[in-house]
Amino acid sequence: MTWLSHEWRLLCRSRFALVALLLLLALSSLAVISGLSEIARQQQTIARLAKLQQDELAAQQPKLTHQGDAGTVAYYTFLGTWAPPSSAAFLAIGLRDTAPYVLRVRALALQTQLHEGEVFNPELALAGRFDFAFVLVYLAPLILIALLYDLVSGERHAGRLSTLLALPGAVRSLWLRRCALRASLVFACLCLPMLGGAYVSGMPAAAGGGVLFVIFAYVVFWAGLALSVVTRGGSSIANATTLMGGWAVLMLVLPTVGNAVLTQSLPVRQGVELMLAQREAVHGAWDLSREDTMQQFFRTHPQWQHTPPLPAGFHWKWYYAFQQLGDERVAPQVAAYREGLLARQRWSERLGWLLPGVGVQAILHHMAATDLPAQLSYQDAIAAFHSRLRAYYYPYLFNEVRFGPDDFAQIPHFRPAHADGSVPKESVWALGIAAGLMAIVGVRAGRRVGQG
């Protein structure tokens, strides 16, 4: 390992290289700490709201059950749902920064309750979250470029390149060794904070290994790309300009163009539009005949058809019937909305097969369970819980059974699903292939300098 100690001593003489590595280590550590703090804050919020709900239900129970009316209980009782963060969520906050991870629902029309959380100031989310995914995807390539842009041209500028090339067989792998050392140090600066965060969050070893592979492949891709540019014989300024231009195209221009194409090719209605459409359907029911509303409800729910008829005046069974009809009225629009979102997600992942930066983001967000499928899965869990609520209240409503304190204690409560994400194998394979191909290109370019 004499060459390693020699190259390490040369690297240590460069204050710029040491500062760049220390900066990357500091940014990675800060991103991990920030991510852990955000996830801890979210966990505390979930725990605090759960305690508040218990206290609220205990205070409401005597008041709501005094009349024994299930409709009143169902109307005024809000029940909490939540999406617990996964052990890898600190790496990529994703949609947890903008989409609700805690939502209180009741037995009224569901879509309005689901999409009220989408109303937020978009300017607040424009800058994005500073997390580990941001450091890895955007900043790590810049550090690699800073460490490698003058790998060969710096020796030429110092007047040592001709002497190095004259040494028989001495430089055939010189550039590869120097590039490998710098890339390894970048990899270490990224991995050490990540492993510390994984230990604190209790991330499974398999998930941690998957993240390490993603980091390794991404660093190899950019190291190979940089090596293929800096060994062409250009000046340091030309190399830096070319690499920065490549970074801008791969990380900014092409993803923006791809996103614009997907937006135009796969138009998707906003969730707020679904909320408004459902509100129109629900509010319009007040002007319709109660008997027509009930007959329409009984066509899709015949099990309640032979229950006692509506009395004169307002009755809760009619109210909840047109609330559910509001959900059923917009069901085709909801299905189209979700399919449009998932189609965009699938094409975004395919775009990531060609653009490693996009691919790494998609992989990390999927592993962290902070992407669109995870958010839709949370909505599915809310919908399933909402169906349980309706199934619990309806026998009391339609059979006009008294609802007492014991019944209040049996109201269903939300149980979240397992939070940890999975590894998107196709995207990981695509990233590995891209890194392998770029490594081959870089190795061949590095050896050509030695042959010259």
Side-chain angles (χ1 to χ4, degrees):
M1 300 298 286
T2 305
W3 70 268
L4 180 59
S5 59
H6 175 69
E7 295 296 338
W8 173 252
R9 286 196 298 270
L10 289 178
L11 183 63
C12 290
R13 294 177 183 176
S14 172
R15 292 184 179 179
F16 176 79
L18 293 179
V19 169
L21 290 170
L22 290 175
L23 177 62
L24 179 60
L25 180 62
L27 291 173
S28 301
S29 301
L30 181 61
V32 169
I33 294 172
S34 175
L36 290 172
S37 299
E38 172 61 20
I39 295 305
R41 186 189 66 80
Q42 293 184 8
Q43 291 172 333
Q44 292 171 2
T45 299
I46 292 172
R48 184 175 68 255
L49 292 180
K51 178 62 169 61
L52 290 175
Q53 176 176 289
Q54 292 179 356
D55 296 340
E56 182 181 19
L57 291 178
Q60 285 182 325
Q61 183 268 325
K63 302 175 183 178
L64 296 180
T65 60
H66 178 69
Q67 299 294 331
D69 190 348
T72 301
V73 174
Y75 185 86
Y76 289 104
T77 302
F78 288 84
L79 297 170
T81 69
W82 63 94
S86 70
S87 58
F90 72 95
L91 295 173
I93 303 299
L95 290 180
R96 296 186 68 90
D97 199 31
T98 54
Y101 58 89
V102 174
L103 194 65
R104 301 206 313 162
V105 298
R106 47 183 175 164
L108 274 60
L110 177 61
Q111 295 304 319
T112 299
Q113 301 179 75
L114 283 180
H115 297 290
E116 282 179 335
E118 291 189 4
V119 182
F120 62 93
N121 185 353
E123 293 184 358
L124 298 179
L126 187 62
R129 168 71 63 172
F130 178 75
D131 54 17
F132 183 81
F134 176 82
V135 173
L136 172 61
V137 172
Y138 292 99
L139 302 185
L142 295 178
I143 298 298
L144 269 172
I145 291 172
L147 294 175
L148 297 175
Y149 79 99
D150 63 345
L151 190 67
V152 179
S153 57
E155 298 293 346
R156 182 187 300 110
H157 181 73
R160 297 189 295 264
L161 183 60
S162 299
T163 303
L164 288 174
L165 295 178
L167 296 175
V171 294
R172 182 172 177 82
S173 60
L174 173 63
W175 317 113
L176 302 182
R177 294 199 304 262
R178 291 185 174 180
C179 178
L181 176 60
R182 286 158 175 77
S184 298
L185 291 173
V186 168
F187 177 74
C189 290
L190 293 167
C191 290
L192 290 177
M194 188 281 294
L195 291 174
Y199 176 78
V200 172
S201 67
M203 185 190 304
V211 175
L212 288 177
F213 175 79
V214 170
I215 298 173
F216 174 78
Y218 193 61
V219 170
V220 167
F221 174 85
W222 278 100
L225 177 61
L227 190 60
S228 66
V229 171
V230 302
T231 53
R232 289 181 173 272
S235 65
S236 297
I237 295 178
N239 292 339
T241 302
T242 301
L243 289 172
M244 287 300 300
W247 178 89
V249 170
L250 289 175
M251 305 306 302
L252 301 177
V253 177
L254 291 181
T256 301
V257 172
N259 182 67
V261 171
L262 288 179
T263 302
Q264 292 295 325
S265 304
L266 299 170
V268 178
R269 300 178 64 180
Q270 296 297 318
V272 175
E273 296 181 30
L274 294 177
M275 178 182 71
L276 295 176
Q278 187 185 61
R279 281 184 173 176
E280 290 179 2
V282 170
H283 293 170
W286 290 96
D287 300 324
L288 302 178
S289 167
R290 296 194 309 160
E291 288 72 20
D292 291 343
T293 297
M294 295 307 298
Q295 289 304 316
Q296 184 179 356
F297 177 79
F298 291 146
R299 280 196 292 270
T300 54
H301 303 84
Q303 66 271 30
W304 308 114
Q305 189 170 2
H306 301 293
T307 54
L310 286 176
F314 176 84
H315 197 280
W316 283 114
K317 69 170 71 175
W318 165 68
Y319 180 79
Y320 287 101
F322 74 68
Q323 290 284 329
Q324 181 153 357
L325 288 175
D327 276 335
E328 296 173 1
R329 184 77 57 83
V330 299
Q333 301 174 43
V334 172
Y337 168 72
R338 290 171 62 94
E339 180 55 35
L341 290 178
L342 290 174
R344 281 188 184 178
Q345 177 72 17
R346 288 191 293 268
W347 280 104
S348 295
E349 292 174 356
R350 291 166 186 165
L351 180 64
W353 298 351
L354 303 176
L355 301 176
V358 176
V360 168
Q361 283 185 306
I363 293 170
L364 290 181
H365 284 97
H366 194 77
M367 295 179 67
T370 58
D371 58 354
L372 175 64
Q375 179 63 22
L376 293 180
S377 178
Y378 174 46
Q379 291 187 4
D380 290 339
I382 295 175
F385 172 64
H386 190 263
S387 297
R388 289 173 55 206
L389 282 180
R390 281 175 167 164
Y392 182 75
Y393 286 124
Y394 279 7
Y396 296 93
L397 291 171
F398 287 91
N399 295 317
E400 300 182 8
V401 177
R402 180 177 177 80
F403 196 93
D406 292 338
D407 304 306
F408 190 92
Q410 298 300 318
I411 293 176
H413 291 275
F414 181 76
R415 294 292 181 269
H418 187 60
D420 284 336
S422 59
V423 178
K425 296 181 180 179
E426 292 182 349
S427 298
V428 172
W429 273 107
L431 176 63
I433 292 172
L437 292 176
M438 192 56 68
I440 293 173
V441 172
V443 168
R444 289 182 176 179
R447 288 179 174 176
R448 281 199 299 269
V449 177
Q451 292 172 354

